Amino acid sequence: VPPQLIRVPPSLLKYHTGRKGKDAWGVWKGKVYNLTPYMKFHPGGVDQLMRGAGKEKDGERLFNEVHPWVSWENMLGECLVGILVSESEGKP
Ligand code: HEM
């Protein structure tokens, strides 16, 4: 069964900070991923990965600064949540 992908407006992304019991979501090439299942496996540590949590641009920028050769898509494909859309596109 293919996963159900959702439209993620910025407000929903910002909610997923990885803190206070919320999952940590991150964006890569306009796609939103749940970073939480990968958190404890990240070789760079939890704190580093958390720097991109709930942010629209920081995750991809930091990722590219540190290890642009790492394949985000191959590693986190199953953690895909949906696509980032504008606030108005996210409303039903
Ligand atoms: C290693 C930072 C996101 C996969 C590292 C290291 C840092 C880092 C500082 C340690 C490098 C070292 O010890 O030499 C970050 C930051 C991220 C981020 C700031 C986003 C905010 C990700 C994501 C993935 C990932 C999303 C997977 C899709 C890896 C891997 C390594 C690593 C595989 C070890 C391999 C290597 O250094 O070539 N990361 N990371 N990282 N990270 Fe990340």
Side-chain angles (χ1 to χ4, degrees), residues 1-70:
V1 182
Q4 184 69 44
L5 301 182
I6 62 170
R7 289 164 189 261
V8 181
S11 56
L12 183 57
L13 175 68
K14 286 194 192 85
Y15 177 84
H16 290 92
T17 56
R19 303 189 190 278
K20 301 187 176 166
K22 297 165 202 152
D23 280 344
W25 288 6
V27 182
W28 184 77
K29 295 194 175 175
K31 291 182 276 190
V32 180
Y33 294 81
N34 183 6
L35 304 173
T36 297
Y38 178 62
M39 210 43 89
K40 59 179 181 288
F41 303 108
H42 181 233
V46 170
D47 290 352
Q48 288 291 330
L49 190 51
M50 279 292 286
R51 294 171 72 194
K55 311 260 183 71
E56 266 182 69
K57 302 212 168 85
D58 294 1
E60 185 168 356
R61 178 176 54 77
L62 292 164
F63 176 90
N64 288 334
E65 277 175 20
V66 183
H67 41 41
W69 58 86
V70 171

